[in-house]
Amino acid sequence: PMWLLPFMRKQIAWDPVKDFAPVSVTSRQPSVLVVHPSLPVNSVAELIALARTRPGELNYGSGSPGAPTHLSAELFNAMARVNIVRVPFKGGGPALTALMGGEVQAAFGVPAAVLPHARTGKLKALAVTSAEPSPLAPGLPTVAASGVPGYESTALAGLFAPAGTPAPVIDLLNRETARILSSAEAKERLFSAGVEGISITPQQFAAILKADMAKWGKVIRDAGIHE
């Protein structure tokens, strides 16, 4: 998300809060925690227990630094009090290939990418990162309900307008966004693309931005994440 960029760059030409006016979130996408089938764990709690007995010995693969799947893993490390070491790859695809090949033991991946491999037994899916069970990952428990209370990591996409856009225009854009996203066609198209379509008020979106900047800024600083 663009509001995370100031934490990862020394210089930036725009301010994600001052230069933009939030209109609405448009979609959300959780990640799924997956492990190699050879790892002797079948739940998040078992993974945490194993990682605590082998600190620094287990690895997870991820692509671009600061991507939602990378941040999901570092939030997991922090909240579960474990040290599963990141192995960087040039993208999510290579990281997933490395996991299936046994080069790393775990990863956080988008449901559409990892669940087909879990169904064929090439991966084991342990949990989904959303606060509540997700229709994008049917049957999977949440990380929060599986041993890490309060854990949530969901990638959001949203609609913004330039700062200073009149409130009536923002409200109109918000209403039209909500109308479009409530249609069966839009929901189906977004779901088939691997995301859930949602809409919220500009005020709710602003509150999420503020909370996420504090939450993920700390994760980025504590984990030393940079470009």
Side-chain angles (χ1 to χ4, degrees), residues 12-46:
I12 194 164
W14 44 265
D15 185 296
V17 174
K18 295 180 180 179
D19 294 342
F20 298 91
V23 175
S24 176
V25 169
T26 55
S27 68
R28 64 186 171 194
Q29 181 186 56
S31 296
V32 173
L33 172 56
V34 289
V35 298
H36 190 268
S38 66
L39 202 67
V41 302
N42 292 295
S43 68
V44 170
E46 290 179 358

Side-chain angles (χ1 to χ4, degrees), residues 14-15 22 24 28 46 52-53 57 59 63 69 71 75 78 101 104 110 147 167 177 180-182 217 225:
W14 44 265
D15 185 296
S24 176
R28 64 186 171 194
E46 290 179 358
R52 287 178 179 172
T53 63
E57 294 182 22
N59 296 320
T69 50
L71 296 181
L75 181 65
V104 295
V110 298
T177 299
I180 293 169
L181 291 175
S182 67
I225 298 172

Side-chain angles (χ1 to χ4, degrees), residues 44 48 72-80 82 84 108 143 148 151:
V44 170
I48 292 172
S72 294
E74 290 303 332
L75 181 65
F76 182 83
N77 269 339
M79 294 187 68
V82 295
I84 303 177
F108 285 80
V143 174
V148 192
Y151 180 97

Side-chain angles (χ1 to χ4, degrees), residues 15 61 70 105 138:
D15 185 296
H70 180 197
Q105 290 80 48

Side-chain angles (χ1 to χ4, degrees), residues 119-132:
R119 296 187 191 104
T120 61
K122 295 179 181 179
L123 296 174
K124 282 194 286 189
L126 302 185
V128 65
T129 63
S130 48
E132 302 293 336

